[in-house]
Amino acid sequence: AQTVTQSQPEMSVQEAETVTLSCTYDTSESDYYLFWYKQPPSRQMILVIRQEAYKQQNATENRFSVNFQKAAKSFSLKISDSQLGDAAMYFCAYRSARNTGNQFYFGTGTSLTVIP
Amino acid sequence: NAGVTQTPKFQVLKTGQSMTLQCAQDMNHEYMSWYRQDPGMGLRLIHYSVGAGITDQGEVPNGYNVSRSTTEDFPLRLLSAAPSQTSVYFCASMGGRAGYTFGSGTRLTVV
């Protein structure tokens, strides 16, 4: 089974600064998807950003961007101009692109604190 | 609003009791799944379904049962609750190559 590793259980960032959350994964497949989900205290899981492995260009969504290094199997999330509302648990997730590979594999999460 | 509706939001059970967590989606997604979230362990797949009438086990299926009689509904049954099943449960659905749409979660405590 694929594994997803988030080596930073907790991170903190000053408001308006930039922070990078790390994620690595292990797979023998060449076609897959990677995701970052945000879980605020409300418990709702919110999709932040998605990357398709066949695309070399890094995905961006407003203040959120990723650094996707396929050879290194690394998928980090950069949050620019951090806001108080960014405080949450962030989960990295992997999904195979095979038709039957709909299972997501999640990392253990990184808790992000935003300091005013 | 379109999405995944999950009920109840909170539940306390006594050991040995049974219950059903309800999940419904109105996006016509074929794929639905149940995850449990435990501290330090991320989300782990319990059961999933790729369409009405088709279900399969995930990583941690023991003690849970599912059925999928319609595209919309995917209930999760706890057959005989145990303290080890204290967790937060998420239902999620997916259409196409997009990511999951999650329900709001159920916090279950088994005493």
Side-chain angles (χ1 to χ4, degrees):
Chain A
Q2 283 75 10
T3 57
V4 178
T5 302
Q6 293 179 250
S7 59
Q8 306 154 316
E10 297 178 347
M11 292 281 287
S12 61
V13 62
Q14 205 78 29
E15 193 176 4
E17 296 296 311
T18 296
V19 65
T20 299
L21 308 183
S22 300
C23 174
T24 59
Y25 56 95
D26 184 25
T27 184
S28 59
E29 298 178 336
S30 60
D31 196 12
Y32 49 86
Y33 303 95
L34 296 164
F35 304 85
W36 279 99
Y37 279 89
K38 171 185 177 181
Q39 186 180 42
S42 67
R43 200 171 64 206
Q44 183 70 48
M45 293 286 286
I46 302 165
L47 177 64
V48 174
I49 200 164
R50 179 184 69 172
Q51 176 77 42
E52 289 139 314
Y54 67 86
K55 289 186 177 180
Q56 293 188 340
Q57 186 174 6
N58 289 325
T60 62
E61 287 289 342
N62 300 316
R63 296 182 297 106
F64 298 88
S65 62
V66 298
N67 183 4
F68 173 48
Q69 301 290 327
K70 191 173 185 179
K73 297 179 182 176
S74 172
F75 183 60
S76 61
L77 175 69
K78 185 171 81 171
I79 306 174
S80 304
D81 185 25
S82 296
Q83 301 175 359
L84 295 178
D86 295 333
M89 183 73 82
Y90 287 82
F91 291 96
C92 178
Y94 167 101
R95 175 172 88 88
S96 170
R98 289 183 289 114
N99 285 337
T100 57
N102 285 319
Q103 178 177 347
F104 278 52
Y105 296 89
F106 288 87
T108 53
T110 297
S111 178
L112 178 65
T113 300
V114 180
I115 303 166
Chain B
N1 291 334
V4 178
T5 302
Q6 192 178 331
T7 57
K9 293 190 184 303
F10 301 94
Q11 183 70 50
V12 178
L13 288 179
K14 293 182 179 179
T15 298
Q17 285 185 318
S18 62
M19 78 159 294
T20 299
L21 278 62
Q22 301 292 342
C23 177
Q25 53 95 4
D26 58 2
M27 297 170 286
N28 203 32
H29 287 171
E30 290 295 326
Y31 186 85
M32 297 185 73
S33 57
W34 278 99
Y35 284 83
R36 60 177 288 172
Q37 181 181 19
D38 301 292
M41 301 187 74
L43 281 77
R44 293 181 294 168
L45 182 65
I46 304 172
H47 285 285
Y48 67 96
S49 169
V50 298
I54 307 170
T55 64
D56 205 347
Q57 296 180 351
E59 183 183 354
V60 289
N62 292 339
Y64 307 95
N65 200 1
V66 293
S67 60
R68 185 94 179 269
S69 57
T70 66
T71 299
E72 293 77 20
D73 299 300
F74 189 46
L76 177 72
R77 297 181 187 85
L78 278 70
L79 308 174
S80 177
S84 61
Q85 294 178 304
T86 293
S87 186
V88 177
Y89 292 84
F90 286 97
C91 178
S93 73
M94 181 169 62
R97 292 175 172 257
Y100 276 137
T101 299
F102 283 89
S104 56
T106 297
R107 180 175 294 279
L108 175 68
T109 303
V110 182
V111 297

